[in-house]
Amino acid sequence: MPDIADYMLKKSEQINRKLAEILPSVPQEAKVLKDSMEYSLLAGGKRLRPVFFLTTLEALGKDSKPFLPFACALEMIHTFSLIHDDLPAMDNDDYRRGKPTCHKMFGEAQAILAGDGLLTHAFAIMTQASQWAPPALVLQAINEVSLATGLDGMIVGQVVDVARDGEELDLAELRFINKYKTGALFRSAVRSAAILAEASEAQLTALTAFAEQFGLAFQIVDDILDVIGDTKITGKTSGSD
């Protein structure tokens, strides 16, 4: 059994190398777009969502290497959400992963466009998985990620979070926001991998339950660190959420 910390480090390094290759060239006139996307995408991070995707494939006996671009697409979607979440209209954060946020470096308009670019290109990358898995399964996996990113996931969670900003939430309301805003992308990372690996219904049910509970636990820790965390360690301003 490999050491978990060592395994996570190796996987994140593998993902980081691929992320550095994955963005396409853009016209020279729009070079700032690629600069701003790369700035946020390559700023670091734990890479948990793509690691969970790759690990799920491996746990189900599927070679994960051909699906590395799909895993990186999940990180691109996560980065898009961070760029937009940091904007003045949302959390108004000045720092992310120990560096000035995208809008602080490139301006608000360019940060919005960088997030849009990462989100849309992620889905183009995911279609490449049809070289390694049946197209019907790839479509199902992409649909899973699309719903978790949008109207059955992050966007819904963010809408409610913004609407209730500054208000005291009860446990049910907090769980709702955490399930959609944070948990949905974890869930889709695991479920899309399970779909591509042709998991059984029992396996898919168990993996879904694991991913949903992990997403809640992750957000609980993140919320606590937002109150008591050291900015030098967390890389973002405490109390901003």
Side-chain angles (χ1 to χ4, degrees), residues 3-57:
D3 177 81
I4 293 298
D6 184 57
Y7 175 86
M8 292 289 292
L9 178 61
K10 288 180 178 178
K11 286 297 181 190
S12 64
E13 289 175 346
Q14 184 182 21
I15 291 159
N16 286 335
R17 287 193 296 270
K18 194 65 177 178
L19 283 171
E21 305 170 2
I22 210 163
L23 288 177
S25 59
V26 298
Q28 183 62 29
E29 292 83 352
K31 183 177 180 294
V32 65
L33 174 62
K34 187 170 185 180
D35 290 345
S36 56
M37 289 192 295
E38 286 184 340
Y39 175 81
S40 294
L41 186 62
L42 305 182
K46 297 177 285 296
R47 312 305 193 196
L48 286 177
R49 293 148 192 85
V51 169
F52 273 38
F53 174 85
L54 296 173
T55 304
T56 301
L57 287 171

Side-chain angles (χ1 to χ4, degrees), residues 120-140:
T120 52
H121 190 60
F123 287 99
I125 289 171
M126 284 187 279
T127 63
Q128 298 172 11
S130 59
Q131 300 174 65
W132 310 101
L137 293 182
V138 175
L139 284 174
Q140 189 179 346

